Amino acid sequence: MDIGTSVLFKVHPTIGTDQILKYALPDTVTPLVHTKYLLNSYCQVIEFQEAHKMLQPADKTLKTMAIEFSEYQVCVDVFITTQSYVDIASVSVVPKTTGGQIYYYYPFSVLSDSAKLYNDLRWNVTRPQGFEAVMRVRCSQGLQVQEYSGNYCKRIPTDVDLPGIDCDKTIMVTLKHDDKFQEGSECAFQCALLYTTVYGQRRIRVTTLSLPCTTVLSNLFRSADLDTQFACFLKHAANEITTSPLSQIREQIMNFCINILHSYRKHCATVSSSGQLILPEALKLLPLYTLALVKSIGLRTDGRLDDRSYWISRVCSISTPLGVPLVCPRLIAIHDLISKETDGSLIPPSKPLFSENITDDGIFLLENGEDCYIYVGNSVNSEILQQIFGNSSVDEIPAQFVLQQYDNPLSKKVNEVVNEIRRQRCSYLRIRLCKKPDPSGMLFFSYMVEDKSPSGLSYVEFLVHIHRQIQTKMV
């Protein structure tokens, strides 16, 4: 079947759009606004025998187009509403090169996904953003920029060109350490971003950071930032997927984790018993996040190619706070929200991602910053079902589910939780209903990363594996 794809071109009003888009748009397309065009195109489904090549662009046509867009300071966002294959690996080249992003709605439902599409499109054009941007990172002597990672175009080694930049994008900068530093001295880092505001003002934003140097490794571990460290793992994996075997990438990620914990054990916890797995306080969840990454859609072999390609595209520009939940989601029970005591937060404490925590008489919400999955057990009390879904039987709840607010405390509380999650994630997460016998139920349980599965060890087994590897290195 044919698939509908919409492309949003964003340029600053000072740029002449007619010549930029003349070759890209058919003559029948009418501009919606002076600087924004909506292109309806259709991609034919093609069967490919060599799956690994599908994670790379099919040819250089779209890459050439993307570079030309970037030269004319055109940022491209792609909205894909589909129920079948669209070759995201090829399509994503354009937004990646122009500072845009992919919005992917699969499987798309007009009933349940229209609200998310509307909110995504509205936020896309109203969020804080700039145009015609150039970014450069400088650092102290003894350090140098090794590489950049994100959605950008790079024409010269020192600068990053960003036809569009907004509050949801992140550029990762890898620094190379090539000299010694003295104890007590400081290293400085500076990021300069030259851009044009939506009001046509040319501005420069400069961010400077100075950090103390230390020869005491325990100070380094004490100040470690887990979310940032894991975001580096995540982006490294995404960059490697298109060129390396998945098994090799999974091994690399696990070795990163093992080497970090081995360094801590060797240099900072020498007095501890060798029979104990010693984790630094700031990085105590690093093994869990590492295991979750190894089991994620991007590194599993059983996922759809488009899902994996979208995962790569999403990770390349994902912000640090959203990196962890993407692979290690938040799980909460919502059938007993009224009876729970909270610490003042709207959202109750999350549960470990064990399938044993999913009871057949409960209703559970799992959110990963992209979607909210609501799992309904087969033995849920009919009164609770009526209060939340407006139906007294699990079978009566439609698959294309739209969360409603009914006139009862539990329904109101569930809606408050969902809205608070959307506010925290700054995204209108769509709601997807999951039932145990259905494929949707299997999708829900695939996020139980602490279970043993075909894609990896259980969390306990993984900790044992890490401990053994550290002990081997200590010999």
Side-chain angles (χ1 to χ4, degrees):
M1 63 181 290
D2 290 332
I3 300 121
T5 304
S6 297
V7 183
L8 183 66
F9 296 88
K10 294 191 296 187
V11 298
H12 196 267
T14 57
I15 305 294
T17 59
D18 294 340
Q19 60 176 352
I20 297 171
L21 304 178
K22 184 177 180 181
Y23 78 96
L25 298 175
D27 295 335
T28 56
V29 174
T30 303
L32 299 178
V33 232
H34 177 59
T35 60
K36 298 178 179 67
Y37 292 77
L38 198 62
L39 171 64
N40 290 325
S41 61
Y42 298 93
C43 305
Q44 197 69 26
V45 177
I46 304 173
E47 295 294 334
F48 291 86
Q49 295 180 352
E50 295 182 302
H52 66 279
K53 292 185 178 180
M54 278 301 301
L55 296 175
Q56 302 175 358
D59 55 43
K60 296 181 179 179
T61 304
L62 289 176
K63 180 64 175 179
T64 302
M65 180 188 295
I67 293 174
E68 190 162 352
F69 277 144
S70 181
E71 289 174 351
Y72 284 104
Q73 302 296 341
V74 179
C75 175
V76 181
D77 296 311
V78 182
F79 293 77
I80 301 176
T81 55
T82 179
Q83 293 189 353
S84 52
Y85 177 76
V86 293
D87 189 13
I88 291 179
S90 294
V91 175
S92 63
V93 170
V94 181
K96 179 175 176 59
T97 307
T98 62
Q101 71 182 93
I102 292 276
Y103 293 85
Y104 183 47
Y105 310 88
Y106 173 86
F108 182 74
S109 165
V110 175
L111 177 64
S112 56
D113 296 336
S114 295
K116 178 170 175 57
L117 177 59
Y118 167 78
N119 279 276
D120 285 348
L121 185 58
R122 182 180 63 175
W123 177 243
N124 181 280
V125 297
T126 60
R127 64 188 170 187
Q129 56 191 301
F131 301 94
E132 309 170 74
V134 180
M135 188 185 82
R136 177 180 293 187
V137 174
R138 303 177 179 89
C139 48
S140 298
Q141 185 175 0
L143 293 170
Q144 60 177 313
V145 175
Q146 186 172 13
E147 63 178 353
Y148 294 91
S149 176
N151 291 1
Y152 62 86
C153 183
K154 192 175 181 183
R155 298 189 187 89
I156 61 176
T158 56
D159 294 346
V160 169
D161 295 324
L162 299 156
I165 182 69
D166 57 72
C167 60
D168 296 328
K169 301 292 191 308
T170 297
I171 303 291
M172 183 177 78
V173 184
T174 304
L175 302 171
K176 183 179 179 182
H177 180 200
D178 57 7
D179 202 354
K180 292 183 178 180
F181 298 102
Q182 298 297 321
E183 177 77 24
S185 63
E186 291 193 343
C187 290
F189 309 87
Q190 186 178 83
C191 175
L193 180 70
L194 179 66
Y195 69 101
T196 302
T197 69
V198 293
Y199 303 106
Q201 299 171 332
R202 197 68 174 159
R203 293 180 180 177
I204 184 167
R205 174 174 290 190
V206 180
T207 304
T208 305
L209 176 67
S210 183
L211 298 175
C213 300
T214 181
T215 57
V216 181
L217 203 56
S218 59
N219 292 340
L220 181 66
F221 279 102
R222 193 177 301 114
S223 305
D225 186 326
L226 176 59
D227 287 359
T228 302
Q229 180 69 64
F230 181 71
C232 294
F233 282 19
L234 197 60
K235 293 175 185 291
H236 173 82
N239 292 335
E240 294 290 322
I241 288 175
T242 58
T243 57
S244 304
L246 291 179
S247 58
Q248 181 178 323
I249 299 171
R250 290 194 293 266
E251 190 69 24
Q252 278 184 356
I253 297 301
M254 288 192 288
N255 285 337
F256 287 162
C257 176
I258 291 169
N259 290 338
I260 289 173
L261 298 180
H262 168 250
S263 295
Y264 179 78
R265 180 70 179 81
K266 181 178 180 180
H267 300 286
C268 306
T270 54
V271 297
S272 302
S273 168
S274 61
Q276 290 180 302
L277 175 61
I278 309 299
L279 301 176
E281 182 64 26
L283 301 177
K284 62 183 179 182
L285 292 178
L286 183 61
L288 175 60
Y289 295 168
T290 302
L291 179 63
L293 175 55
V294 168
K295 294 183 176 183
S296 66
I297 294 172
L299 298 184
R300 291 205 310 261
T301 57
D302 59 347
R304 298 174 64 254
L305 286 171
D306 265 350
D307 290 344
R308 193 181 304 162
S309 296
Y310 171 70
W311 187 90
I312 296 170
S313 174
R314 181 76 182 96
V315 165
C316 283
S317 64
I318 197 169
S319 63
T320 300
L322 293 179
V324 171
L326 183 68
V327 299
C328 192
R330 176 164 47 183
L331 174 68
I332 60 175
I334 60 174
H335 57 277
D336 56 355
L337 286 175
I338 300 299
S339 60
K340 282 183 177 177
E341 293 184 3
T342 62
D343 55 357
S345 172
L346 284 174
I347 302 176
S350 59
K351 293 178 174 291
L353 294 171
F354 271 123
S355 58
E356 294 177 357
N357 289 325
I358 311 300
T359 58
D360 213 31
D361 60 350
I363 305 174
F364 300 88
L365 185 148
L366 181 85
E367 66 89 12
N368 62 1
E370 294 274 318
D371 297 296
C372 273
Y373 299 92
I374 295 182
Y375 176 85
V376 185
N378 291 329
S379 305
V380 180
N381 186 289
S382 59
E383 185 178 344
I384 294 177
L385 290 174
Q386 185 69 40
Q387 290 177 7
I388 297 178
F389 303 105
N391 293 286
S392 57
S393 170
V394 176
D395 297 331
E396 294 176 3
I397 305 173
Q400 296 186 11
F401 166 69
V402 178
L403 184 65
Q404 304 286 344
Q405 181 166 324
Y406 299 100
D407 189 18
N408 64 78
L410 181 57
S411 177
K412 182 181 179 182
K413 188 70 174 178
V414 170
N415 278 268
E416 287 177 349
V417 168
V418 170
N419 290 333
E420 176 64 14
I421 292 172
R422 286 170 172 166
R423 188 195 65 79
Q424 289 181 1
R425 304 305 188 199
C426 202
S427 174
Y428 192 89
L429 280 65
R430 63 177 179 173
I431 307 295
R432 302 181 66 178
L433 187 69
C434 302
K435 302 178 184 179
K436 191 171 186 177
D438 300 340
S440 60
M442 297 176 61
L443 174 63
F444 183 90
F445 280 99
S446 70
Y447 284 101
M448 300 297 109
V449 296
E450 298 189 38
D451 288 344
K452 185 173 184 177
S453 67
S455 58
L457 303 172
S458 70
Y459 184 41
V460 173
E461 291 172 336
F462 186 64
L463 290 175
V464 172
H465 171 72
I466 289 177
H467 190 201
R468 287 174 178 170
Q469 293 299 313
I470 292 175
Q471 286 180 316
T472 302
K473 288 177 173 289
M474 293 292 291
V475 175

